[in-house]
Amino acid sequence: MFERETRIVPEKRWSLCAAPLALALVACGASVAPLGDGGTDRGNVGPDASALDVIVPDVTTPPPFDAGNACIRSMVADVVAPSVLFAGQPLGVSVLAPGQGCGCALTLQPNALSSARGFDPVLCNCCRECECVDGSYTASALLGAPGVGSTQIAVTGSPRRTVFVIESPEQCDASFVRVREVTVLAPEGRVTGPALHWAIISGTHRYCCDAGVGFVENRQGNAFTLGPRSCETLGCAMACPAIADREDRPFTSAHMLGVLTNGDYRLTVGATTLAFTVRR
């Protein structure tokens, strides 16, 4: 997964970058800064109080294009995308890559795959004369609202992700989904594309053959409420026991919160509430 930019227990943290001090502002993306209130608890994550301070790096402006500085294929550390959407919900994807150059911009270039929405992650406009290494890169894309069914996201260098689009949340179960942990994921390092924030939710649900967990979103101002739904994604060729008789099975799902402006936010998923602050 992405390195988490937030923690359930707030702690002081600084950014590390293998670059000379004079180059640090060019080579290093911003990271989580020490909490301005010294780590004072302000919100709840389940039964425990917690306040989270998220710093969002500015979107990278690439250096002037150098025709002699060819783009190179980038390694991929992780890809974040939802597993289940409901009709009308937008599809987004974020890619994290480790530092591989200096002053580079990570770009998701669409490729010619016919069986999936395919992207080649490439690093462009790296500084050849700079003696430094970027900390990391984040590149994101918004892909609109896909139709009901399934679609695949294929990022070269990472396993394919299948996204199932369900017509209505009413087709899915809400009674036996248990949320255990909620984390807010902010873009890190040198950022290109929309600076997407994600909620990463883990817990348990009950299904017969195969299922994913999606979320019904309600946003009022800076308060998000996500209603988890367990949705069967494959037809069962066998008779299924009643859902009350099935075993609890673990899940981890991502839900896109979008591009967030500076401010205090509150995220509630099931019975778990998380307060966090975004600042640039």
Side-chain angles (χ1 to χ4, degrees):
M1 297 294 297
F2 274 11
E3 179 185 348
R4 291 175 179 173
E5 286 295 339
T6 59
R7 296 291 188 269
I8 296 302
V9 178
E11 58 185 35
K12 294 186 177 182
R13 184 178 176 211
W14 287 264
S15 175
L16 299 178
C17 178
L21 181 59
L23 297 172
L25 293 179
V26 175
C28 302
S31 186
V32 175
L35 296 180
D37 59 5
T40 302
D41 294 340
R42 295 192 296 111
N44 290 326
V45 185
D48 300 323
S50 179
L52 303 174
D53 206 17
V54 179
I55 284 199
V56 181
D58 289 333
V59 175
T60 297
T61 301
F65 179 71
D66 177 0
N69 188 356
C71 296
I72 59 172
R73 181 71 57 80
S74 173
M75 294 183 290
V76 174
D78 197 19
V79 175
V80 178
S83 55
V84 170
L85 292 174
F86 298 109
Q89 289 183 327
L91 173 60
V93 59
S94 292
V95 176
L96 178 69
Q100 300 157 64
C102 182
C104 306
L106 178 66
T107 302
L108 301 181
Q109 295 186 351
N111 57 34
L113 286 176
S114 59
S115 59
R117 297 191 181 196
F119 297 93
D120 294 323
V122 295
L123 294 175
C124 297
N125 293 353
C126 299
C127 178
R128 291 182 170 182
E129 305 301 324
C130 300
E131 297 180 357
C132 63
V133 178
D134 298 326
S136 61
Y137 314 96
T138 301
S140 300
L142 290 169
L143 306 176
V148 173
S150 65
T151 186
Q152 288 191 326
I153 296 175
V155 177
T156 303
S158 180
R160 290 192 179 197
R161 267 71 171 172
T162 300
V163 181
F164 295 93
V165 182
I166 309 299
E167 185 172 3
S168 169
E170 303 302 320
Q171 300 173 229
C172 307
D173 171 64
S175 301
F176 291 91
V177 185
R178 302 289 182 264
V179 173
R180 305 298 187 196
E181 183 178 5
V182 177
T183 303
V184 171
L185 204 64
E188 65 170 48
R190 295 180 62 85
V191 179
T192 50
L196 298 180
H197 288 70
W198 296 85
I200 309 299
I201 300 103
S202 61
T204 62
H205 64 146
R206 300 181 181 185
Y207 59 88
C208 183
C209 294
D210 190 30
V213 176
F215 302 88
V216 179
E217 178 183 313
N218 179 27
R219 179 175 179 179
Q220 296 182 348
N222 284 6
F224 292 88
T225 300
L226 303 182
R229 301 288 189 273
S230 174
C231 305
E232 294 284 347
T233 54
L234 294 177
C236 293
M238 61 180 181
C240 296
I243 190 169
D245 298 328
R246 301 174 195 171
E247 295 182 358
D248 291 321
R249 302 181 186 182
F251 75 87
T252 298
S253 295
H255 179 83
M256 185 178 67
L257 300 176
V259 178
L260 303 183
T261 57
N262 288 356
D264 295 327
Y265 292 83
R266 199 166 188 85
L267 172 63
T268 299
V269 189
T272 300
T273 296
L274 176 66
F276 64 99
T277 296
V278 174
R279 56 189 175 90
R280 296 178 184 274

